Amino acid sequence: MENIKEKRLVRLLDATLLYHCEEITLLDDTSLYDAMFKYLEEGELDRVFLCPKLKDASKEERKKALDIARKHSYLCFYEGNRNFWEDSAEGYKPGFFSEFIAEEILDNYNFLVELAHEKGETAVEELTNFVSEEMAIESSVVDYLRNTFNNDNLLKVLLDTTSREDSIYGDLTPKRKRILYKYPKEVLYTEYQEIDESDFMIIPKEELFNRISIETNDSTVLSMNKLSEIADYLGDEDFERTIRNVHLLNSESKETGAKHR
């Protein structure tokens, strides 16, 4: 089976050497990776960036997706700085396995390209809500979220859903959105088993508000239209406590139910 991560890295390194060899001081591998990430952020390597999901895209579609991803490329680096690329992949220490670190960063960048192509720039911009000391403290924003959800399709759908101003998530502050993404299961989505394969469904507004009503023992929330109204009503501290408890209780209930089947 073809290793896309390895092939993507090799193509970018080859292009970096081919087009910019006179500008690169090849003291060690790190210098070459430094140059590659620099030229990637500057758009010099767009033409050779390997993204299988853009295979059938038009030139205009490909350019648009890459332009959006490049604009938000800082989300793939620790503290938003490409100079910290060795710290940008969870589980790897700086100075070791530079090749694998680079592959993971480029895979995260590919996720940005896919998200831009499939869901649009608003969904990509949703990621900026998670630039915080509360999250991604050991890697980049994209790396943190992809590792947390371990399901790119689910994460893309959630980012698209919570970014919509006409949804129940409209008007939520970044802090409150971070609460939802800290406790997403049975709050933002639920999983179900179908023919030995796991799938997911976004929790409908009525179901989520009902769960919050049960947890708070307050039916007032049922008459509200958006989560921001509930958060204002409860206050940030109680809102987070409520969301956490909805997540824990309903996740536990599903697990218990599954064991007794």
Side-chain angles (χ1 to χ4, degrees):
M1 186 175 179
E2 185 178 31
N3 187 329
I4 296 296
K5 290 183 181 181
E6 181 181 350
K7 185 176 180 180
R8 179 185 293 124
L9 176 60
V10 170
R11 286 180 64 172
L12 291 171
L13 289 176
D14 286 349
T16 300
L17 286 169
L18 178 62
Y19 298 112
H20 301 284
C21 60
E22 295 180 356
E23 306 167 39
I24 300 170
T25 303
L26 294 177
L27 299 175
D28 51 39
D29 286 345
T30 301
S31 299
L32 177 56
Y33 290 125
D34 286 343
M36 179 193 68
F37 286 122
K38 174 180 182 292
Y39 294 122
L40 181 68
E41 278 203 327
E42 293 177 356
E44 294 292 322
L45 303 177
D46 280 3
R47 58 189 177 280
V48 296
F49 187 84
L50 180 60
C51 178
K53 290 198 174 182
L54 289 182
K55 181 180 178 181
D56 298 321
S58 66
K59 288 183 179 180
E60 292 75 17
E61 289 172 332
R62 178 181 172 84
K63 182 181 185 306
K64 182 178 180 180
L66 287 165
D67 284 349
I68 294 171
R70 185 169 60 257
K71 179 180 175 182
H72 298 85
S73 61
Y74 68 94
L75 294 167
C76 293
F77 297 104
Y78 178 67
E79 293 189 353
N81 190 331
R82 74 161 183 266
N83 293 322
F84 298 152
W85 65 265
E86 290 183 287
D87 299 294
S88 300
E90 189 177 341
Y92 294 98
K93 294 182 179 180
F96 295 92
F97 308 111
S98 294
E99 176 184 347
F100 299 114
I101 296 173
E103 285 181 357
E104 291 304 313
I105 294 170
L106 293 174
D107 195 51
N108 289 333
Y109 188 78
N110 182 70
F111 173 83
L112 275 189
V113 176
E114 291 182 0
L115 181 62
H117 179 59
E118 296 170 15
K119 304 299 183 182
E121 186 165 8
T122 303
V124 176
E125 290 177 343
E126 185 74 350
L127 289 163
T128 63
N129 289 306
F130 309 107
V131 178
S132 166
E133 293 180 358
E134 303 167 43
M135 305 176 90
I137 58 176
E138 295 182 354
S139 59
S140 70
V141 170
V142 176
D143 192 70
Y144 167 80
L145 287 172
R146 290 185 71 209
N147 287 333
T148 298
F149 285 88
N150 200 31
N151 183 327
D152 282 351
N153 189 38
L154 168 60
L155 181 55
K156 290 174 188 174
V157 171
L158 289 178
L159 289 168
D160 180 47
T161 300
T162 60
S163 70
R164 296 179 179 274
E165 283 300 317
D166 60 352
S167 73
I168 62 171
Y169 313 100
D171 303 328
L172 278 175
T173 64
K175 179 178 181 179
R176 290 168 177 177
K177 283 191 174 180
R178 289 195 290 272
I179 290 171
L180 297 182
Y181 277 76
K182 280 172 65 178
Y183 311 106
K185 193 173 182 180
E186 302 306 325
V187 173
L188 289 174
Y189 75 96
T190 188
E191 288 183 328
Y192 59 91
Q193 206 77 15
E194 187 172 320
I195 317 178
D196 297 326
E197 290 187 6
S198 293
D199 209 338
F200 63 87
M201 179 183 73
I202 301 299
I203 300 286
K205 169 190 171 182
E206 293 75 14
E207 176 61 24
L208 176 58
F209 283 26
N210 185 57
R211 292 179 179 186
I212 292 174
S213 174
I214 292 172
E215 171 58 31
T216 58
N217 194 29
D218 189 340
S219 62
T220 304
V221 300
L222 296 175
S223 63
M224 298 180 182
N225 295 312
K226 290 191 173 186
L227 274 172
S228 59
E229 296 178 53
I230 295 177
D232 288 341
Y233 178 69
L234 296 177
D236 283 344
E237 188 174 327
D238 283 344
F239 179 68
E240 178 164 9
R241 184 185 300 111
T242 298
I243 292 299
R244 182 181 64 241
N245 288 344
V246 167
H247 158 73
L248 291 173
L249 292 173
N250 286 278
S251 296
E252 187 178 284
S253 175
K254 286 197 71 172
E255 289 175 7
T256 303
K259 291 178 181 177
H260 288 292
R261 285 194 194 118

